[in-house]
Amino acid sequence: MEAKMRKVQLDEHNIKESQRLAGPTSSSEQRPSNQRKPSMPMIPPFMTSAPGKVIVFGEHSVVHGKAAMAAAISLRSYMLVTTLSKSKRTISILFPDIGLDHTWHMDSLPWETFKHPDKKKLYFDMVSSLDPDLVQAMQPHITPISRNLPLETRKIHQAAAFSFLYLFLSLGSETNPGCIYTLRSTLPIGAGLGSSASVSVCTSAALLLQIRALSGPQPDQPIEESRLQIERINRWAFVGELCIHGNPSGVDNTVASGGKAVIFRRADHGQPPSVKLLRQFPQLPLLLIDTKQPRSTATEVAKVGALNKAQPEISKFIFEAIDKITESAMGIVGSDDFDEDDLQSIRPLGELFNINHGLLAALGVSHPKLERIRELTDISGVGWTKLTGAGGGGCTITLMKPGVDPESLKSLEKTLNKEGFERHETVLGGDGVGVLYPAILKNGADDEGGEEIDQEKFLNAQGRAGVESLVGVGMHEKREGWKFWH
């Protein structure tokens, strides 16, 4: 581990010179031949971050051609990028939350294959499938990873490494400096909360920043320019999802990139879903509770498919009712009169939570643990609860009532902990991808320079609470230093 705990010492001049990000059109490949390439100062440590997501309305009916609503949550992934000295020609990925620690020697990677004129992609390209030749060239660099670990752990490690390396080789070059990419997350993994997409967005943004293919984010950045940067990040994050899932919908990475919420519909399973961004989606307090009950999305989808085959008329009625719920929710949150701080304003949205859950239970995708959580939250009176995602276990989301009694919340927390459930207070509809450049936060410090987030501090942060305390973007208030594209 000591080999990974390297600190990069930067002098004040290099930090000052590197703080300003170059515009999107700067690229060494585009530099006129008669212009001398200036020496590049070492990039200071910087961070990227992206949120997870929940399905708010429309689970399962979306599989049958109806609309669903997904929204960002304030549980996030955080990537720290540490540039090494010129003499260190290695690329390391350090993902301690899943136990992944691997290093490649830069000069041994298959650059020749990736930079071939027929294969090389530019940062603004749209990539909709993986290139088999590139995948094949990567295999010798993936198969040795975690070879001696159990099969399931090895699969997770190799999938994460494959996704990272495909993006790194596609966007980088052999002249890139050596780096360590360290990832921490406050997102539960494997709970249907879009954790892989969150990581893919962090990776995409970090690599695009390193090749100076992004501008901003800045407070005065024109909206269209800002959205172009988000789309650029989103496109390459989708490639990362292709590496992990094979045939992703693209919804998770879209929410992780842009934040807020989306309405998506897939009428034809042979085509990508249509996605409508809800940029004015309000930020709503949410209680996310993990049942810790393992579930299989494929099993739950198949269960609903079997019911649809056995009871087509009734199933059709339920799918259409869920579709109406999604449509009604859009109308509520999009209304000029909607006030998230007013109980009477938010109550109709909460009622849709209850109705949607009831319909999902009718489809057979609830679970005794999900129902127990609903019972506990109903008794406490803190809000309205439904399952989110495939069901059969996984998580619930509770839309919190304004002005919840702190004692009721504390009592609920005590009961949830006693019964083995894991709760997370979060916010629905928050920001998408963010950047901390350089990795310096004020954190209430009196000194003018603030607190530098180095690798040692980042790795030593204890659990999700420690990561949130050290570098979290904040739930209700944006933390000074973090910047976001809108």
Side-chain angles (χ1 to χ4, degrees):
M1 179 62 72
E2 287 79 10
K4 298 298 181 186
M5 306 289 282
R6 292 170 281 193
K7 284 187 176 182
V8 177
Q9 300 297 324
L10 301 171
D11 59 47
E12 292 182 357
H13 172 75
N14 281 351
I15 292 178
K16 182 177 179 181
E17 290 297 312
S18 299
Q19 283 185 2
R20 186 173 62 87
L21 295 179
T25 57
S26 63
S27 170
S28 59
E29 287 83 4
Q30 297 173 338
R31 192 183 309 279
S33 58
N34 62 348
Q35 185 176 354
R36 185 169 179 261
K37 182 178 178 179
S39 61
M40 188 72 70
M42 186 182 289
I43 297 175
F46 70 93
M47 297 189 73
T48 58
S49 176
K53 72 91 180 65
V54 293
I55 303 295
V56 188
F57 299 108
E59 294 94 339
H60 288 286
S61 63
V62 72
V63 178
H64 298 271
K66 306 302 182 183
M69 178 187 291
I73 55 176
S74 56
L75 302 176
R76 305 174 67 95
S77 297
Y78 298 88
M79 178 173 279
L80 174 67
V81 182
T82 309
T83 304
L84 303 176
S85 63
K86 289 184 178 180
S87 62
K88 295 181 178 177
R89 301 284 297 155
T90 57
I91 294 295
S92 297
I93 50 173
L94 189 53
F95 298 177
D97 296 328
I98 61 171
L100 174 59
D101 180 352
H102 188 76
T103 296
W104 294 281
H105 290 280
M106 184 85 78
D107 299 329
S108 71
L109 294 173
W111 294 110
E112 288 300 321
T113 305
F114 272 78
K115 72 180 183 181
H116 189 279
D118 293 337
K119 305 293 183 183
K120 179 64 180 174
K121 300 296 182 183
L122 301 178
Y123 65 83
F124 49 77
D125 283 338
M126 171 77 80
V127 179
S128 58
S129 62
L130 302 182
D131 187 309
D133 294 335
L134 301 183
V135 172
Q136 183 63 32
M138 287 175 56
Q139 290 312 304
H141 305 276
I142 300 298
T143 52
I145 295 173
S146 305
R147 180 179 286 164
N148 298 323
L149 295 181
L151 178 61
E152 285 306 310
T153 302
R154 186 164 72 247
K155 284 182 178 179
I156 293 170
H157 287 186
Q158 291 187 358
F162 175 59
S163 178
F164 172 86
L165 191 59
Y166 196 98
L167 294 189
F168 179 78
L169 290 169
S170 296
L171 291 169
S173 74
E174 61 265 49
T175 61
N176 279 24
C179 282
I180 303 172
Y181 298 84
T182 308
L183 187 103
R184 301 293 305 273
S185 183
T186 61
L187 274 165
I189 297 170
L193 302 177
S195 58
S196 69
S198 175
V199 173
S200 292
V201 170
C202 287
T203 303
S204 170
L207 295 174
L208 288 167
L209 283 166
Q210 285 186 297
I211 65 170
R212 300 179 182 267
L214 296 174
S215 65
Q218 297 296 340
D220 58 350
Q221 191 168 27
I223 291 177
E224 290 307 313
E225 182 181 320
S226 180
R227 292 175 181 173
L228 175 63
Q229 314 311 307
I230 293 173
E231 177 57 24
R232 192 167 289 166
I233 293 166
N234 188 30
R235 287 183 179 186
W236 282 101
F238 178 73
V239 178
E241 286 285 88
L242 282 171
C243 293
I244 294 173
H245 297 294
N247 184 31
S249 69
V251 171
D252 287 10
N253 50 276
T254 299
V255 174
S257 298
K260 295 298 183 181
V262 300
I263 295 292
F264 63 101
R265 183 192 302 268
R266 175 175 266 176
D268 181 356
H269 281 274
Q271 299 295 326
S274 63
V275 179
K276 177 183 179 182
L277 303 179
L278 304 179
R279 300 189 189 278
Q280 303 307 313
F281 193 89
Q283 293 195 23
L284 302 169
L286 199 73
L287 188 63
L288 186 145
I289 304 171
D290 190 348
T291 64
K292 312 298 287 185
Q293 175 66 36
R295 87 284 184 272
S296 164
T297 298
T299 298
E300 300 306 313
V301 169
K303 189 188 298 182
V304 175
L307 180 66
N308 184 41
K309 186 175 181 180
Q311 302 285 352
E313 290 302 318
I314 295 174
S315 298
K316 179 183 177 183
F317 174 79
I318 295 175
F319 296 149
E320 288 176 349
I322 294 176
D323 195 42
K324 288 295 183 183
I325 289 171
T326 305
E327 183 181 325
S328 297
M330 284 179 59
I332 291 171
V333 299
S335 170
D336 292 338
D337 297 328
F338 182 75
D339 181 0
E340 59 266 32
D341 297 320
D342 178 66
L343 178 59
Q344 297 309 312
S345 181
I346 205 170
R347 186 183 298 279
L349 190 64
E351 291 169 347
L352 293 180
F353 269 56
N354 286 343
I355 298 168
N356 197 169
H357 180 87
L359 292 170
L360 290 169
L363 290 173
V365 296
S366 190
H367 185 276
K369 289 186 178 180
L370 293 169
E371 296 304 324
R372 176 58 176 160
I373 291 172
R374 290 194 77 245
E375 180 184 11
L376 292 173
T377 54
D378 283 350
I379 291 171
S380 70
V382 299
W384 303 268
T385 301
K386 66 179 287 292
L387 69 83
T388 181
C395 297
T396 64
I397 51 175
T398 300
L399 179 64
M400 302 287 283
K401 293 179 179 178
V404 170
D405 177 17
E407 289 303 316
S408 297
L409 201 55
K410 187 180 296 184
S411 176
L412 174 63
E413 178 182 2
K414 184 177 179 180
T415 305
L416 291 169
N417 290 340
K418 183 179 178 180
E419 298 194 18
F421 301 124
E422 184 175 280
R423 60 180 285 280
H424 304 269
E425 288 188 47
T426 183
V427 173
L428 192 68
D431 287 309
V433 59
V435 179
L436 181 64
Y437 191 103
I440 296 175
L441 283 169
K442 296 297 183 182
N443 283 340
D446 294 330
D447 56 303
E448 185 177 342
E451 179 184 8
E452 181 177 345
I453 309 301
D454 60 22
Q455 195 182 27
E456 183 176 6
K457 289 179 183 176
F458 195 41
L459 286 170
N460 287 339
Q462 294 299 306
R464 297 185 185 114
V467 173
E468 183 67 38
S469 175
L470 180 67
V471 298
V473 303
M475 288 177 59
H476 298 279
E477 306 259 337
K478 289 188 178 67
R479 199 166 186 175
E480 188 174 357
W482 281 104
K483 295 180 181 178
F484 303 88
W485 289 278
H486 294 288

